[in-house]
Each structure stands twice: as structure tokens, then as C-alpha cells.
Amino acid sequence: MGQDGGVLNGRWTVLDVDQAQVRLRSGRIGLVTVDVTAPVTSGSLHIDDQAVSLELVVALDRLRTSNFLLQAAARALISRHQAQALAYRGAGQPEQPWSVTGDATAGDVTVALALDIRLQQQSAHESEVELTGSAHLGRVHLPLPGLGTVDDFGFRVDARLRIARA
């Protein structure tokens, strides 16, 4: 049994969908860093004595960034790969801090993604978790003037999500 003593065992769903945000941030690409947020449209966390599993759907077609050129480029990339939504499904061991590994799939792109899940606040019916992780896509062609191809495009993921017992 995990360190939570079984108190968190069960199925939890993400609250405030469409307002809950996942942040994707790249390393430096030339002179810029790609830093976008996208809303979570659904999600669940299942915990029992044998495993923990996480499912998330993120609306990439509604991503936002503070730089309009980067936002236009990101949306062009999403359209090129028909990647309007990113679906993630990961699983891991029930000991805290939880770590899940799985695939993030968006359109014709699938990326292996490991996420750490840390409990931030806990109650019997509603809690908050923080997700962090990173992935590498390898060579990516970005539709940005002056950048074109990035040989090793990687990004970090972070999110803080409120969850409630389902």
C-alpha cells in the first residue's frame, strides 16, 4: 500500500475542466522558448493498492501563448499533424510520490511521457495534484521564419489540477 495508507484509493476526476491548464515549455530554440498553455477537457486518476493510473485529454487546438508568432506556428504544427487533442494514458506503482509512464498521442504523433504526480493538498473528497515531466520529440520542423528545423525538440510539462472523488 502507498504512503497514503489507502485514504486516496479510488477513482478521482479532474475538476474545473476547460479551466484547468497544462503548461508545455520547450528549452531555448534559437532566441526563443516555446511556452504554451492548453486546457484539460477531461481527466481521471485511479489509485489502488496495486497501481496508479492517469488519463488526461488536453485541447491543443485551444492552446495559448504570449507570443502571437509562436501561437500561430504552434497552431500550424497542430493542423499539419491533425493534433487537435492530446490524449495521455499512463500507469505506475502506488507508492508516493507517484510516477506514471505512458504515451501521449496527438493526431499522428505519439510520444513516450513519464509524469511525476505529487499530492499538494489532500482531503477525503477533493484534493490537488501537481504533474511534472518531460519528453523529447527528436527532429521537428517548426513553421517559424528563421528556425525551420530543431534537431532535438523537447518540452517540459507542468500542471496543477484539482481532483474530486468520482
Side-chain angles (χ1 to χ4, degrees):
M1 190 177 313
Q3 294 174 346
D4 57 39
V7 173
L8 294 174
N9 282 7
R11 187 165 193 80
W12 297 77
T13 58
V14 174
L15 294 175
D16 304 325
V17 292
D18 290 332
Q19 294 174 22
Q21 300 286 313
V22 171
R23 183 176 182 185
L24 306 171
R25 185 177 33 212
S26 75
R28 188 161 288 291
I29 303 169
L31 299 174
V32 299
T33 298
V34 179
D35 192 354
V36 301
T37 58
V40 174
T41 57
S42 67
S44 65
L45 177 66
H46 185 261
I47 305 161
D48 64 29
D49 291 342
Q50 280 72 48
V52 59
S53 62
L54 174 70
E55 293 183 18
L56 279 179
V57 177
V58 178
L60 293 179
D61 60 344
R62 293 173 28 209
L63 67 81
R64 299 217 184 276
T65 183
S66 59
N67 181 315
F68 75 94
L69 289 175
L70 288 178
Q71 186 163 315
R75 290 193 177 185
L77 194 60
I78 287 167
S79 291
R80 181 185 319 150
H81 293 281
Q82 299 176 349
Q84 288 74 20
L86 179 142
Y88 176 76
R89 193 174 269 185
Q93 298 301 311
E95 289 78 27
Q96 287 191 41
W98 301 305
S99 183
V100 294
T101 303
D103 288 332
T105 302
D108 61 3
V109 176
T110 298
V111 176
L113 179 62
L115 292 173
D116 292 328
I117 306 170
R118 290 195 181 355
L119 189 61
Q120 297 299 309
Q121 296 176 2
Q122 175 183 347
S123 77
H125 301 289
E126 189 174 305
S127 297
E128 186 176 86
V129 292
E130 179 182 43
L131 308 177
T132 57
S134 62
H136 290 278
L137 296 173
R139 177 171 265 198
V140 174
H141 302 283
L142 296 175
L144 284 172
L147 288 182
T149 301
V150 177
D151 287 327
D152 187 22
F153 183 76
F155 61 89
R156 294 213 31 85
V157 176
D158 67 76
R160 206 169 179 116
L161 304 173
R162 287 187 34 230
I163 56 174
R165 207 170 277 284

